[in-house]
Amino acid sequence: MSLKQINAKAAALRASFEAAGAEVVDCDILLPAEIFLDLYGEDVRTRAYMSSDPARGEVMLRPDFTVPVVQKHMEEGAEPARYTYSGAVFRRQEEHPERASEYVQVGYEVFDREDPEAADAEVFALFQQVLAPHGLRAVTGDIGILTAAVQGLDTSERRRKALMRHIWRPRRFRALLDRFSGRAPVPPSRAALLASADPMADRGPQIGLRSEAEIAERIAVLRADAEEPHLSKSQVELIEAILKVSETCSFALEHLRDIAVDLPAISGAVERFARRCEALAARDVAVEQLDFEASYGRSSMEYYDGFVFGFLSNQLGTPPVATGGRYDALTRHLGQGREIPAVGGVIRPGVLLDLEGRS
């Protein structure tokens, strides 16, 4: 397929969002890297195209539209607001060279503090309507339920923060759970370090950027962590029960309400899920048939903090056609003291055209 065809498809999709009341916005292709490094840490360097500008410092080719759209809204947008856009984004694909490193996105974003669950339903129902002719499978989730569970754990704030940092990295999250619960043995090298009265006494030449004071501080943190009691088996089992929820929305809601009896910290998030289901049903979404996976979005949607969704093809190897979700914390981070509930999503018109060509 040609770029001309992709852009034509993008224009048609964007027109659907304009018809729903969205204002068309555009964003720079070259963005300050500082924003993304602050949000995602140094890991973003492995996924984005970075460069250095003599006047602007480190810059990055636009990896998505959501961050610059949020920044634009927080600086100059009125409330409530609905935006749509289309254009190229750029992602390094070192681990998956078969995936495109440049592709077109079309998006729809809603900034509205009146009724967040109704806004979730608005965005999802609009995407479902626009994508209806393509026979895709929709899946939903809610990162907010897992974050509420972590915040409710009976452990130190340091451990809760560590788990929160890695919610979007399932393997690291699992490794931390195993370590904090005592299910993973302490590595021999760490055990020897912690057992030493003076770990710095027999050190070799100092290599790297960390100072001696920073190394000592890290050792102190490791010792404090080793002295903390393990997470209880019941707490870990409740987290695991949440992560295993994979049912239609109606059954998932019942299951999560049962878990909330033993983990009250998730009750508020579960009831927001219930209100979202009601709002979706009011927009003629068949909630009793809509899939819900509590783990959905954990490895690819790291700025979302609540409702998440995707529209997927059954054809093996095809990337998601559309993804989206709620990102209230992102508006707080970029708003310099201001914040507003926000939800949105993107469609990849190139993937849609590819699917049409195969059918």
Side-chain angles (χ1 to χ4, degrees):
M1 85 200 76
S2 68
L3 182 58
K4 182 178 179 180
Q5 290 173 306
I6 293 174
N7 285 334
K9 188 72 170 179
L13 292 167
R14 194 178 71 182
S16 298
F17 295 141
E18 287 182 72
E23 171 191 349
V24 178
V25 293
D26 199 6
C27 300
D28 293 339
I29 291 178
L30 203 59
L31 301 169
E34 180 183 5
I35 299 170
F36 295 90
L37 289 167
D38 193 28
L39 282 169
Y40 309 132
E42 293 294 321
D43 284 358
V44 77
R45 294 182 186 277
T46 66
R47 310 194 303 274
Y49 289 99
M50 310 275 292
S51 186
S52 180
D53 182 271
R56 301 175 63 183
E58 278 197 296
V59 290
M60 179 185 297
L61 284 176
R62 181 173 63 206
D64 63 46
F65 275 90
T66 303
V67 170
V69 167
V70 170
Q71 193 171 34
K72 182 185 287 284
H73 175 80
M74 300 311 289
E75 289 174 355
E76 58 193 52
E79 296 181 19
R82 283 156 177 77
Y83 302 113
T84 185
Y85 49 81
S86 63
V89 297
F90 307 85
R91 306 274 181 91
R92 289 173 61 178
Q93 304 288 4
E94 293 180 1
E95 295 184 7
H96 300 280
E98 74 283 359
R99 297 180 182 175
S101 56
E102 176 185 351
Y103 53 90
V104 173
Q105 281 185 346
V106 181
Y108 179 73
E109 315 286 344
V110 174
F111 295 77
D112 193 337
R113 61 179 80 250
E114 184 67 26
D115 188 338
E117 286 75 35
D120 290 346
E122 173 194 333
V123 171
F124 180 86
L126 181 55
F127 272 62
Q128 186 178 64
Q129 176 187 331
V130 168
L131 297 170
H134 301 281
L136 303 172
R137 180 176 76 88
V139 60
T140 63
D142 193 331
I143 300 294
I145 294 171
L146 180 58
T147 58
V150 170
Q151 294 287 13
L153 289 175
D154 183 16
T155 189
S156 67
E157 183 63 18
R158 182 173 60 248
R159 284 186 168 182
R160 283 194 291 268
K161 285 182 177 178
L163 288 165
M164 287 292 293
R165 271 198 310 275
H166 295 298
I167 273 180
W168 292 271
R169 300 171 180 87
R171 288 184 182 178
R172 295 187 194 180
F173 184 86
R174 164 56 61 188
L176 283 176
L177 263 188
D178 289 344
R179 193 177 103 204
F180 294 160
S181 63
R183 295 197 298 195
V186 179
S189 58
R190 178 173 294 183
L193 176 74
L194 297 176
S196 173
D198 184 4
M200 306 293 287
D202 299 320
R203 73 181 189 275
Q206 190 165 324
I207 300 171
L209 299 178
R210 286 188 178 180
S211 67
E212 184 173 326
E214 288 173 325
I215 295 170
E217 182 181 355
R218 176 60 180 160
I219 293 172
V221 168
L222 292 175
R223 282 181 163 159
D225 183 72
E227 292 172 1
E228 286 193 38
H230 289 150
L231 278 175
S232 69
K233 180 181 178 182
S234 61
Q235 288 189 95
V236 175
E237 287 176 345
L238 288 168
I239 294 286
E240 290 173 336
I242 291 171
L243 292 173
K244 289 177 182 176
V245 173
S246 179
E247 306 168 63
T248 60
C249 285
S250 302
F251 286 112
L253 179 58
E254 291 182 22
H255 194 163
L256 288 165
R257 279 175 165 160
D258 288 341
I259 295 173
V261 172
D262 296 311
L263 187 57
I266 70 170
S267 297
V270 172
E271 290 315 304
R272 285 191 290 276
F273 174 32
R275 292 194 295 273
R276 186 183 309 120
C277 288
E278 293 173 359
L280 287 165
R283 287 183 173 268
D284 297 323
V285 175
V287 176
E288 68 282 356
Q289 298 173 19
L290 180 62
D291 288 338
F292 178 92
E293 298 174 8
S295 287
Y296 184 70
R298 286 184 63 213
S299 60
S300 58
M301 301 180 171
E302 57 194 292
Y303 52 68
Y304 294 130
D305 53 17
F307 175 54
V308 289
F309 66 87
F311 286 86
L312 316 174
S313 166
N314 291 323
Q315 297 192 29
L316 193 63
T318 303
V321 173
T323 56
R326 176 160 291 282
Y327 47 88
D328 296 352
L330 184 60
T331 73
R332 183 163 57 249
H333 188 92
L334 297 177
Q336 298 179 339
R338 296 175 55 237
E339 62 181 284
I340 180 172
V343 59
V346 296
I347 299 174
R348 292 180 60 170
V351 177
L352 270 183
L353 284 173
D354 186 46
L355 291 173
E356 290 173 358
R358 294 188 210 172
S359 59

